[in-house]
């Protein structure tokens, strides 16, 4: 087992057994039979371990879908659906840790002062930031593909915000799954389908776009 995986597993086991992160890096490293220097070669804090785990969830889901030949034949809408379904399956395998970490993030947001909430360096943003950055890379590629296939409508000022909207959707799906008590999380599957379909109804071409094109044509040719 490589050092990174060893540290991640030991940390996951600790928080699930104790309900809280270890009291110090020194004690954690000692229990793991490594030096503090060895720990800091890989991670800067316990929060950075959690951040790496969330990023690993994302990378594993992405790898699973991209190695499936059928995935390449999907529409952009279907690709995003496939990602979310696969991502949730990955999260299911470590649900106890995902719930623990998510609740810590939420608690830190509730307890933070308004000034702390406004800062980008809060604990919650540190934990989710690597996942968020990788997700944005993934979804921007999908949006570019969608513009080529006409599934995504370019709109002045709004197009640059599409990725932000899809990230908000990701957080909604995560929150829904964390609190889902339906059998085999069936309601989460429904939430994924409805939220993705709604998103593509909004960012795809609509009657309003046709109306705008007509008004623009009339104005230019009056």
């Amino acid at each position: 087992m490589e050092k990174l995986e060893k540290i991640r597993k030991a940390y996951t086991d600790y928080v699930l057994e104790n309900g809280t992160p270890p009291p110090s890096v020194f004690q954690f490293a000692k229990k793991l039979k490594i030096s503090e220097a060895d720990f800091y070669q890989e991670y800067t804090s316990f929060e950075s371990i959690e951040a790496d785990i969330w990023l690993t969830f994302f990378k594993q889901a992405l790898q699973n879908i991209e190695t499936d030949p059928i995935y390449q034949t999907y529409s952009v809408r279907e690709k995003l659906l496939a990602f979310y379904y696969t991502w949730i399956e990955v999260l299911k395998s470590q649900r106890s840790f995902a719930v623990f970490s998510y609740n810590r993030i939420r608690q830190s947001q509730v307890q933070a002062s308004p000034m702390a909430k406004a800062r980008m360096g809060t604990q919650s943003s540190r934990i989710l930031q690597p996942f968020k950055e990788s997700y944005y890379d993934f979804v921007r590629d999908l949006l570019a593909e969608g513009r080529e296939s006409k599934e995504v409508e370019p709109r002045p000022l709004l197009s640059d915000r599409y990725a932000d909207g899809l990230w908000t959707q990701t957080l909604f799906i995560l929150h829904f799954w964390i609190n889902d008590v339906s059998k085999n999380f069936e309601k989460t599957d429904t939430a994924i389908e409805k939220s993705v379909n709604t998103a593509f109804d909004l960012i795809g071409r609509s009657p309003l776009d046709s109306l705008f094109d007509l008004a623009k044509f009339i104005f230019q040719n009056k």
Side-chain angles (χ1 to χ4, degrees):
M1 183 184 299
E2 64 175 30
K3 191 191 303 181
L4 272 174
E5 185 180 351
K6 181 180 179 181
I7 292 174
R8 284 197 301 262
K9 185 178 185 308
Y11 178 78
T12 301
D13 289 346
Y14 186 95
V15 299
L16 294 182
E17 290 171 2
N18 296 277
T20 184
S24 69
V25 170
F26 172 80
Q27 292 185 36
F28 177 70
K30 184 177 180 181
K31 184 175 181 179
L32 201 53
K33 293 182 170 50
I34 62 173
S35 67
E36 279 192 85
D38 285 336
F39 177 91
Y40 285 119
Q41 280 182 352
E42 308 297 342
Y43 295 109
T44 59
S45 64
F46 294 135
E47 287 79 12
S48 67
I49 299 177
E50 292 192 35
D52 192 33
I53 293 173
W54 282 103
L55 178 60
T56 299
F57 291 154
F58 168 77
K59 288 182 175 179
Q60 185 177 341
L62 199 59
Q63 182 180 19
N64 289 350
I65 59 175
E66 290 184 339
T67 54
D68 183 352
I70 301 177
Y71 173 79
Q72 303 305 327
T73 69
Y74 286 168
S75 66
V76 171
R77 183 191 301 239
E78 290 169 336
K79 285 181 177 179
L80 190 58
L81 281 168
F83 165 74
Y84 284 131
Y85 289 138
T86 305
W87 179 53
I88 291 298
E89 287 302 314
V90 170
L91 289 175
K92 284 180 185 178
S93 67
Q94 294 199 54
R95 178 172 169 85
S96 294
F97 174 81
V99 171
F100 166 83
S101 182
Y102 180 81
N103 286 337
R104 281 224 309 146
I105 292 169
R106 296 283 292 179
Q107 185 178 16
S108 71
Q109 291 175 332
V110 170
Q111 294 177 345
S113 66
M115 184 176 295
K117 290 177 182 178
R119 290 198 304 263
M120 289 301 295
T122 60
Q123 182 188 66
S124 58
S125 66
R126 285 201 303 270
I127 290 175
L128 293 181
Q129 193 63 27
F131 165 38
K132 179 181 179 180
E133 290 172 358
S134 293
Y135 175 84
Y136 268 62
D137 289 340
F138 162 67
V139 84
R140 282 179 181 134
D141 287 342
L142 284 187
L143 290 169
E145 183 181 337
R147 286 191 292 271
E148 291 182 5
S149 65
K150 308 300 183 184
E151 293 177 75
V152 174
E153 182 69 16
R155 297 186 178 98
L157 303 178
L158 293 177
S159 294
D160 292 341
R161 308 299 296 179
Y162 287 168
D164 296 331
L166 293 176
W167 171 248
T168 300
Q169 174 180 265
T170 302
L171 296 179
F172 160 75
I173 290 170
L174 175 60
H175 179 77
F176 192 97
W177 174 72
I178 290 288
N179 293 281
D180 189 3
V181 294
S182 64
K183 183 179 179 181
N184 199 29
F185 308 106
E186 293 172 352
K187 288 185 178 180
T188 297
D189 290 342
T190 303
I192 290 172
E193 181 183 3
K194 290 185 179 298
S195 63
V196 170
N197 286 337
T198 299
F200 274 86
D201 287 344
L202 292 172
I203 66 178
R205 189 163 184 83
S206 71
L208 287 176
D209 293 300
S210 298
L211 182 61
F212 175 79
D213 287 346
L214 175 60
K216 182 179 178 181
F217 174 79
I218 293 173
F219 176 79
Q220 292 173 341
N221 292 276
K222 67 180 179 178

